[in-house]
């Protein structure tokens, strides 16, 4: 059964590598942000699968910290990437 978890973790790792290509070649900042969010989501899933497959419960704690950091990094990226000038171009209003 642990080989199943490790195999699924490998598949998710391949997905992360494909997401890295999207970050490198992404035409817009939104594409890059979504790929970065994919890193956080897949990273947490990989860590949880490894915890289950290897029988190491401590990896679950690392996954929780990683999920928190991924959420903060996404918020930071959005605040940096979309400025007031960009909102005016698209006609959106910023709500702070």
């Amino acid at each position: 059964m642990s080989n199943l978890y490790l195999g699924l973790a490998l598949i998710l790792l391949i997905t992360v590598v494909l997401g890295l290509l999207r970050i490198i070649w992404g035409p817009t900042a939104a594409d890059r942000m979504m790929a970065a969010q994919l890193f956080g989501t897949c990273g947490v899933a990989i860590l949880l699968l490894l915890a289950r497959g290897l029988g190491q419960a401590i990896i679950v704690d690392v996954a929780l910290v990683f999920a928190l950091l991924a959420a903060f990094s996404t918020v930071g990226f959005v605040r940096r990437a979309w400025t007031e000038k960009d909102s005016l171009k698209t006609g959106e209003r910023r709500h702070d």
Side-chain angles (χ1 to χ4, degrees):
M1 192 65 164
S2 67
N3 287 336
L4 174 68
Y5 293 121
L6 296 177
L8 290 173
L10 182 64
I11 291 170
L12 288 175
L13 186 63
I14 292 169
T15 303
V16 168
V17 170
L18 293 175
L20 180 63
L21 295 176
R22 174 55 73 184
I23 285 181
I24 293 171
W25 295 327
T28 65
D31 293 331
R32 292 185 173 104
M33 183 192 73
M34 292 305 292
Q37 187 64 31
L38 175 75
F39 283 3
T41 304
C42 283
V44 170
I46 289 170
L47 288 174
L48 290 175
L49 287 170
L50 287 178
R52 186 72 155 180
L54 298 175
Q56 298 287 327
I58 191 74
I59 299 175
V60 174
D61 295 335
V62 175
L64 290 174
V65 171
F66 197 73
L68 185 65
L69 290 175
F72 283 132
S73 66
T74 301
V75 170
F77 185 83
V78 168
R79 288 189 153 267
R80 185 174 184 275
W82 279 274
T83 61
E84 187 73 27
K85 183 178 155 187
D86 293 335
S87 297
L88 292 176
K89 284 181 185 175
T90 60
E92 298 174 0
R93 298 189 63 169
R94 188 172 182 170
H95 303 283
D96 286 331

